[in-house]
Amino acid sequence: MSSSERAIAELLKARTGFKREAGQQGEVVLDGPYVLDATYNGVRLAEDFDLELVVPGDYPASLPKVKETSGIIDPGYEHLYLDGTLCLGVRGELLLAQLENPSLVALLDGPVRSYLYSYLFRKRYGCYPFGDRAHGALGILHYYGELFEETDFTTIVKLLGAVCFDEYRGHLPCPCGSGLIARKCHGETILELKESGAAAIFSSDFMIIARELDDLRQSAEKRERALRQNLESLSGTYRAPKIE
C-alpha cells in the first residue's frame, strides 16, 4: 500500500464520518464533519465544521488542500487563499512536517485544529491566541529565518536562493556573506533542505517573496514619480513674493 493510501485509510478509520470520492487528475477527495473542542490557556472553544480535503495523486510529495464547507469561516478572512482553501502556514514548513510524518490525521489534529481554534478565538476576542505568523512574504521570511537562525531579510533570501537554485559546494563561501566556507556556516541546513524532497515548495516560497518585493519596488517607484510630478507642478505655479 502506498503512503497516500495508508494516510487515507488511517483518516477514514479515525474519522468515520468522512467519505471518499475520486477527484481530478488522480486526486482523492475526502469530505466529512470535524468537531472542534479545544482549550488553550483556559479558554475552551467548540464548533462543528464540515471539511473537504483534496489529496493530490503524488501525496506526500505535495500538500493536500483543505476547505471549510459549512460556511462558518468568513470568506473575507485574511488566512484564506483566493480559491477558499485554508492557509495553514508556510508551505515549506507544512511539507517538511508531512514528509517526516505522512498522516492526514496529523494534519487535521495539528495545523487544521490550530487554524480553526485561532479563527474562533480571533472572531470572539479580536486577537490571535498563540501568535500569528504574518501572511505572505513576511511570514515566509520569518519561518526561513528561524531555520537559518538569521534575522536579516536580505541574508535569508540569499540562503533560500542557495537552497532553491545553487549547486551545493561545502568548500565555497557561505551565501550569507559571513566569509566562512559553507560547511562551517549554514551549509548543513542548506544541504538538509536540498535533500528533503521539498525543493519545489521552497522555490514556490522563494517566488512569493520575489513577487512581493517586486510589487513593493514598483509601488515605491510610482509614489516617487507622483511626488516628483507634484513638486514640478507646484514649482511651476509658485511665484516668489515681490520685495519693494
Side-chain angles (χ1 to χ4, degrees):
M1 184 182 294
S2 68
S3 296
S4 175
E5 287 299 325
R6 281 196 297 272
I8 292 169
E10 178 194 25
L11 175 62
L12 294 175
K13 182 179 180 179
R15 305 279 179 176
T16 55
F18 272 77
K19 305 300 180 184
R20 172 178 179 159
E21 299 178 9
Q24 300 178 349
Q25 299 177 341
E27 296 173 338
V28 174
V29 180
L30 302 169
D31 293 286
Y34 185 86
V35 179
L36 177 74
D37 190 343
T39 302
Y40 180 78
N41 279 351
V43 179
R44 181 184 180 188
L45 296 174
E47 185 63 82
D48 294 342
F49 294 91
D50 291 323
L51 299 179
E52 175 190 89
L53 278 70
V54 179
V55 184
D58 63 345
Y59 178 91
S62 296
L63 292 168
K65 293 182 177 181
V66 184
K67 183 179 289 187
E68 185 268 322
T69 57
S70 41
I72 295 172
I73 295 179
D74 185 340
Y77 184 48
E78 61 180 334
H79 292 296
L80 283 176
Y81 289 116
L82 293 177
D83 63 358
T85 56
L86 310 186
C87 176
L88 298 173
V90 177
R91 290 168 58 81
E93 181 178 12
L94 294 169
L95 186 56
L96 284 176
Q98 179 172 286
L99 290 170
E100 184 176 343
N101 178 28
S103 169
L104 296 171
V105 172
L107 176 68
L108 286 181
D109 292 342
V112 172
R113 182 173 181 266
S114 296
Y115 180 101
L116 297 176
Y117 182 91
S118 291
Y119 175 79
L120 295 177
F121 193 100
R122 175 77 168 81
K123 187 176 181 181
R124 178 176 295 186
Y125 300 108
C127 61
Y128 288 101
F130 25 73
D132 174 47
R133 196 186 294 280
H135 196 62
L138 187 57
I140 294 171
L141 283 166
H142 282 151
Y143 167 65
Y144 287 103
E146 293 167 6
L147 279 185
F148 293 120
E149 298 183 350
E150 292 285 350
T151 57
D152 179 71
F153 286 168
T154 300
T155 301
I156 296 167
V157 170
K158 289 179 180 179
L159 290 167
L160 183 56
V163 171
C164 298
F165 308 115
D166 297 341
E167 187 175 355
Y168 177 74
R169 289 288 185 270
H171 64 281
L172 294 180
C174 185
C176 75
S178 67
L180 299 173
I181 61 173
R183 69 167 59 95
K184 292 185 177 181
C185 198
H186 291 93
E188 182 176 352
T189 304
I190 292 172
L191 192 57
E192 286 178 357
L193 294 179
K194 278 183 169 295
E195 295 177 347
S196 67
I201 291 291
F202 298 147
S203 296
S204 175
D205 286 344
F206 183 92
M207 294 310 298
I208 291 172
I209 295 170
R211 282 196 298 270
E212 289 199 23
L213 289 176
D214 188 57
D215 288 344
L216 288 172
R217 178 186 59 78
Q218 292 185 33
S219 296
E221 289 176 351
K222 287 180 181 178
R223 289 195 298 270
E224 184 180 351
R225 285 196 298 270
L227 177 60
R228 187 182 300 113
Q229 290 170 358
N230 288 335
L231 290 174
E232 290 173 352
S233 175
L234 288 171
S235 65
T237 58
Y238 176 75
R239 295 291 184 271
K242 185 177 180 181
I243 301 176
E244 297 292 341

